[in-house]
Every structure is written in structure tokens, then in C-alpha cells.
Amino acid sequence: MRMIRSLAPALKRFLRDERGVTAIEYGLIAALIAVMIIGTVTTVGENLDGVFNSIGTSLGKATGGTGGTTP
């Protein structure tokens, strides 16, 4: 029982302390930004892949080549 009484004030101080909350919030914001960057880069990469494939095909047709492959 004595141990519980000595832990109670420490537990109350721990629950009132908000210093760690700010660090957690910054961590969540950083994670959200990272997810958004990854999603954007993936989408842009896929779009660029399609654009370059289209350009390669068009150039291949215009020059009568095989689209960049060596015969």
C-alpha cells in the first residue's frame, strides 16, 4: 500500500506533463509529409514513364526505327 501511495504523485505528474506530446505531434506531422512526398513522387514517376514511352514510340515511328532498340 505504501508503494502505491508513493507512485500516485509520480503518476499524476507524468499524466500532466505535456512535453512529450509536442515531440509526438512533430513526429506525426513529419510522417504525414513523408507519405505525401512518396505518393507524389510515385504518381509523377508513373506519368513521366508514360510520357517518355510515348515520345520514344513517336520518334521510332518518325525515323522508321525500332523505338530505340538496336537491330
Side-chain angles (χ1 to χ4, degrees):
M1 187 69 168
R2 183 174 170 205
M3 184 178 196
I4 293 174
R5 285 186 198 161
S6 64
L7 287 177
L11 182 61
K12 286 180 184 179
R13 279 193 311 273
F14 176 75
L15 292 175
R16 282 189 303 224
D17 188 9
E18 295 184 5
R19 287 180 291 185
V21 175
T22 303
I24 292 171
E25 290 170 351
Y26 284 135
L28 291 173
I29 291 169
L32 179 62
I33 290 171
V35 168
M36 292 176 64
I37 290 172
I38 291 169
T40 301
V41 168
T42 302
T43 302
V44 169
E46 290 171 357
N47 290 341
L48 281 177
D49 186 43
V51 168
F52 283 119
N53 283 334
S54 175
I55 291 171
T57 302
S58 297
L59 288 174
K61 288 179 183 176
T63 59
T66 58
T69 59
T70 53

